Structure formats: structure tokens, C-alpha cells
Amino acid sequence: MTSPSSLSHLLLSFMAKTTRVLPQMRVALRGEGILTSPRFNKGTAFTIPERKALGLTGRLPYRVNSLDEQCERAWNQLQARDTPIRKNTFLQSMKDQNWVLYYALLARNLKELVPIIYTPTEAEAISNYSHLFRRSEGLFLTFSQQDTMEEDFLEQTKGRNLDLFVCSDAEAILGIGDQGVGGIGVRLIVILAYSSLPKLNCQDIRGQSNPSKALAVTLDVGTDNEELLNDPLYVGWPHKRVRGKEYDDFVDKFVQLVRKHYPHSLLHFEDFGVGNANTLLSRYREDHAIFNDDIQGTGAVTLACVLAAIGVTKSKLSDQRIVIYGAGSAGLGIAKQIRDGMIHLDGTKEEEANKLFWLIDKFGLITEQLEKEDGTKVREALKEFVRRENEEEGLSRRSSVGLLEVVKKVKPTVLIGCSTHAGAFTKEVVEAMAEGCERPIILPLSNPSRLVEVDPKDANDWTKGKALLATGSPFPPAKMPNGKEYIIAECNNALVYPGLGFGSMLCQSRQMTDKMIIAGAERLAALSPALKDPDNALLPDFGEAPEVNFEVAIAVAQQAIEDGIVSDEWKGVGKEEVRQKAREKIWVPEYREYVFDAEGGER
């Protein structure tokens, strides 16, 4: 996942600020059944009447705790864990026991817990998934068992009014590569991020709270990770990855099940390999509301970051010269998103916009020469950004042209890294860029932090405080020449993709269009602290992520309405009504009063 978040950060400061009287909930579970249901369990917060009605009086100690008291206890227990991974597993265990308490704890300690439940700690948890495994969550669809796929799908979704499916084959995780079924951890974090919004998908048709309107799906097509294949404790299908037509047919079978049974849902793709990611997005985006976080989410948040930066420099997107170091899913997604921004916002023709990008992969600058001389196959998805020979005056004619030479000759205004090549933006590269423009925009986005292209502190020092900076992982502030601290923005998908998804689900759009994504990115950029003070961060703080994503969602829904791709009830809905409808969908992590109803209650 390119960030990224890819995520859990949004959590619930927004919801925590919202107070309202929640209606009673009728439940059909009693005794052990309700205590072991994370959806309904309250632990020591069950009231005396509830304990009597639900057969819990002898199952719980005397004291009835408030949610605030439970959060205080849980926070103290968390602090007793001495390493990030131990804290991560503690929180996972809490989520397995009590959803409301889990979300409420995150809402109260959002900024402190983001690094525990997401980058950088989650990468370690994912890579050790089989050894940390306690209980399963989500839906596992395995290639060798595809004959029963629809039966398995319906068994897991039975009776659930799902709005969101987050699926992956986990070939390309967080800079740690192929992690097989361990990638389910990322999908669960993505769902957590969506769940942290003022959200549509926690209200069923009776208006009752149900935070399980999303499903994490693992498409287990094997793994090419030899360490996993040789691990006797690996819990996934121990087989080399299936590819080609067999792979395509397997994924298509799943997608058609989603379209058949949940036609108004959002299908969120995460952590697919670069080739499959682009292919699947292109294949299905016209037929269903499809979103690929690694391509579109990363592209959207980076577009927002660049828009904020050019707000500081008082220039246009089409004035930029953009070098992207790393041409995988993320790099290509960023190039396309910024290019589309130039087209829609500046009126630039696509062919002219493509000429403003220089993409570099492990073989060097992607040029016609590279393919002709080395026989290096340029992926079809990259063809529109291939540099032609007559466009490259001043660059050497050899096939492999490196980053430093490109920076010296092109004099880019924007340098973006998504290569996982630690230290690639050397002092010489950064200083060469600073010589070519007044306020270089430098975005080393690789994560986890150990793989970042340049430490932002160094980039700040080498440019004498001129650089406008953002990173893909959290970094401490850098010191400006005047002694002030420069806050390093975290250019993380989680600042935008839940808003993009919420906006689409809110108005039940039939597609996730480029215009919707650009509208969301524009709204995020407009909230940049740097627009008020250039020495501030380029993007809002994660502590504001829920509110930020709410604003993104409103912009996305409004664009979908304008594009005419919404359900009938949303056609013609005005701006203020969109905002009001969205507010009505806010879910707050609070306990509801239970009434026992063996026949008609929730289970």
C-alpha cells in the first residue's frame, strides 16, 4: 500500500466531538454469545438492567464502567507493552473483543496510535501474520477452492447490507512486497479508515448502528515469497502465484459476485502488483464504482500536495516540470493524476501535459532509446510518458540516463520519489534541483521511513530552507535557517481515500470518475496550512483527518451529482443538502442501550 495507506488514521476525533442520543438496539444474543461478539460486547459497561435481561449478572464483576473509564484502563494497559509490535497486537486483540471500545480509544489518542496501527508498525505485523495469527477476519477466497466461491461469498455476506469491499491479492505490500494472505492486515486497516469517517456504511435501513458494513477480502492466488512457501506455519495456500488467464478468470469471478449481489457497493482494490493493478482498474472502472488506492489514492493525495505547493509558489500545474523517480503503480498513478489535473484545471491538452513528466525506473529515464538499444520492454501503461529522442536535448544519447543527469538538464520544479530506493535523492541531486528553481517541491514518498529517498531534514538543509517538503511516512520537523521549525507534511493516502470512497458511497455513484478524484484532491489542497503561512505544512495534520475527509467526501459527491452518475434520489441535490445528508450518516463509537428480543433482535 503506498502509504500509505494507506488509513487508520483518520480515526475518530470528528466523531468523538459529535454527541447525540442513540436509539435502543434490540439484540437476540445473551450470555456468552453477546460477550464474545465484538459488535455487541460492552464488557464492564453493560448496565445493571442489561445484565439482568441478557444473563450477564454472574458473568461480570460488580462495577459498571463508563466508556471513558474503559478507555483509560485500555490506554494504561497499552502503555505497559514495551514495543510497537506488542502494542499493535494488543490493539488487534481489543478489536476482536469490542469494536466500540477500540474505535473510542483510537478517537481519543489518534495521533499517538497511528504509527502503531499503520506505518511503520503494521508492515512488521503483516510480515509476521502467520506467526501472530489468533483468529481470522474477513473473507478468504482461495484459487484452489474457487468451485465454491459463490457459496463461500454468500455464507460470509449473508444478512449483511454491505457498502464496501476491500480486496487484494497482496502481491505488493507497503514496500515489503509479496506477503501472501498476510496482506489481510492492510485491508482491515483500510476498512478501519473508512469506518472512522462520518460514515454512510454504518446505518442499516432501520437506522441502527452497524459498523460491519465493510468486508476485507483476500484473493489467495498463492505467493512467490519463498520464505512463506517454506514456512510450515504459513496459513495461506502454499503455491506459486497463479498468473495469466487463470488469474484473470478467478478475479473476474469475484468481481461479478460483487456486482451481482451488491451493485451499489464500492470495490476498493489494494496492494495488487503493478501490472494487475492497472489492468483491473481499466477493465472494471466503467462498470462499477471501483477505486484503486495505490494508483488513484496515491495520485490524489500527491496531486493535492502539489496543488498546495504551487499555491505557495503562485504558479500553475502546467508550469511545472515533474521528475518521478520510481515508475511502479504509485509513480504511474501520480503521473496520471497530476497530468489529468493539468487537463481539467488548466485546460492543457493531454499530449502537451505528458511532455511535462520525466519518469525514471531502475533502468533509468524511460525513453525510446531505452527500448531500442537495451530491448527493455516498456509497460503499455507507461507508453504515454516515454520521452522521445527529439524531446531530450542536452541529455546523453546512451540508453540509461540517471537521476542526477535528468535533474541537471531538466531543472525540475517537482521531484517525487516512490522507488523504495533509500537515499536516492543525494546531496548533489537536491542541490542541483535547488539551483534550477526558487522553491523546489521535493516529495520523497517511499515508505516505511527506512526506504525514503531523502531524509526531509537533509533536503531542508541542502536547499537552505527553500524546499517545500512532504513525505510518505511521519518525520519530525526540520529546522529553518531562521530558527523556526518547518512541519513535514505526511503525504499519506489516508488523508483523501476515505473521503473519496465515502463520497462515492454516499450518493451511490455508478463510477469513481477522474473528475470526482480531482474534486477531492482540490478540496484537500484548499485546506493546506501552507496557504495561510508558507512555513507551515503542505497538508493538514492527521489529527484533522476525519474532518478533512468529510470535506473531501462532500466535494466528491457534489462532482458525481454534477456528472449525472448518481442514484435517482441524489439527482439534483444541492450543496447544502449534500452536506446535511452526509452529517446524518455520522457514526459515533458510543454504546447503545440493549433490549433483549429473541425473535426480532440483531445477531
Side-chain angles (χ1 to χ4, degrees), residues 181-479:
V181 294
I184 189 72
V186 174
R187 263 88 74 210
L188 294 170
I189 294 174
V190 172
I191 287 174
L192 170 60
Y194 279 109
S195 301
S196 304
L197 275 165
K199 117 172 171 146
L200 161 74
N201 47 324
C202 55
Q203 301 287 331
D204 67 20
I205 57 175
R206 290 164 291 181
Q208 296 177 324
S209 174
N210 179 4
S212 59
K213 290 292 184 85
L215 185 64
V217 181
T218 289
L219 302 176
D220 188 356
V221 294
T223 177
D224 290 337
N225 186 326
E226 290 294 334
E227 187 175 341
L228 295 179
L229 290 173
N230 294 323
D231 185 350
L233 295 182
Y234 178 58
V235 296
W237 184 42
H239 193 281
K240 285 285 189 179
R241 280 190 174 271
V242 174
R243 301 191 183 276
K245 187 176 184 305
E246 287 185 317
Y247 173 90
D248 292 340
D249 291 346
F250 178 73
V251 175
D252 185 68
K253 192 172 184 178
F254 163 70
V255 173
Q256 300 312 324
L257 286 175
V258 173
R259 296 186 63 207
K260 175 182 176 181
H261 296 288
Y262 295 91
H264 298 297
S265 65
L266 175 68
L267 181 52
H268 177 124
F269 289 133
E270 188 81 25
D271 294 326
F272 284 84
V274 57
N276 289 328
N278 286 285
T279 299
L280 294 174
L281 181 61
S282 299
R283 181 174 295 158
Y284 296 114
R285 68 177 308 190
E286 301 296 325
D287 301 322
H288 193 85
I290 301 284
F291 178 71
N292 185 297
D293 182 42
D294 301 306
I295 297 173
Q296 295 165 298
T298 302
V301 74
T302 308
L303 171 60
C305 197
V306 174
L307 286 173
I310 64 174
V312 173
T313 62
K314 309 298 183 186
S315 56
K316 297 191 302 182
L317 269 182
S318 52
D319 294 334
Q320 311 310 308
R321 298 178 301 281
I322 301 169
V323 171
I324 300 178
Y325 186 70
S329 294
L332 181 60
I334 289 168
K336 287 186 172 183
Q337 202 65 71
I338 299 176
R339 185 270 314 277
D340 291 347
M342 293 175 178
I343 295 169
H344 291 293
L345 301 178
D346 293 349
T348 310
K349 292 182 179 180
E350 182 172 331
E351 184 178 354
E352 293 304 310
N354 288 340
K355 293 177 182 178
L356 299 174
F357 293 84
W358 287 259
L359 271 61
I360 300 173
D361 67 7
K362 61 184 178 181
F363 299 107
L365 180 66
I366 297 174
T367 64
E368 284 182 322
Q369 198 83 350
L370 181 68
E371 193 162 28
K372 285 178 182 177
E373 293 188 7
D374 285 8
T376 302
K377 181 71 174 174
V378 175
R379 301 193 315 276
E380 189 63 35
L382 287 171
K383 289 291 179 71
E384 56 195 330
F385 295 105
V386 171
R387 303 299 303 186
R388 312 301 171 192
E389 287 185 53
N390 59 1
E391 297 171 348
E392 298 310 311
E393 283 188 34
L395 289 173
S396 61
R397 290 301 180 189
R398 58 189 171 81
S399 58
S400 180
V401 181
L403 175 61
L404 180 59
E405 183 178 353
V406 172
V407 168
K408 285 183 174 180
K409 299 299 182 181
V410 171
K411 301 187 186 308
T413 58
V414 182
L415 176 61
I416 300 171
C418 39
S419 64
T420 67
H421 179 183
F425 296 174
T426 63
K427 183 178 182 181
E428 193 174 4
V429 166
V430 172
E431 288 181 340
M433 185 180 180
E435 289 174 8
C437 63
E438 180 59 30
R439 295 299 304 269
I441 301 167
I442 303 177
L443 311 178
L445 302 182
S446 289
N447 64 75
S449 52
R450 61 184 172 80
L451 300 178
V452 72
E453 285 80 7
V454 64
D455 188 310
K457 175 186 176 298
D458 292 334
N460 181 71
D461 290 344
W462 297 336
T463 61
K464 297 179 173 58
K466 295 195 303 178
L468 296 165
L469 295 160
T471 56
S473 294
F475 279 88
K479 190 73 76 175

Side-chain angles (χ1 to χ4, degrees), residues 10 13-14 17 197-198 527 543-552:
L10 309 105
S13 55
F14 183 84
K17 298 171 187 173
L197 275 165
L527 299 171
E544 302 168 11
E547 296 96 322
V548 167
N549 273 283
F550 185 78
E551 293 299 322
V552 169

Side-chain angles (χ1 to χ4, degrees), residues 145-159:
Q145 299 170 332
Q146 62 181 298
D147 290 345
T148 61
M149 183 187 289
E150 185 162 19
E151 178 185 341
D152 297 338
F153 179 91
L154 294 175
E155 179 66 29
Q156 185 71 326
T157 60
K158 181 170 55 181

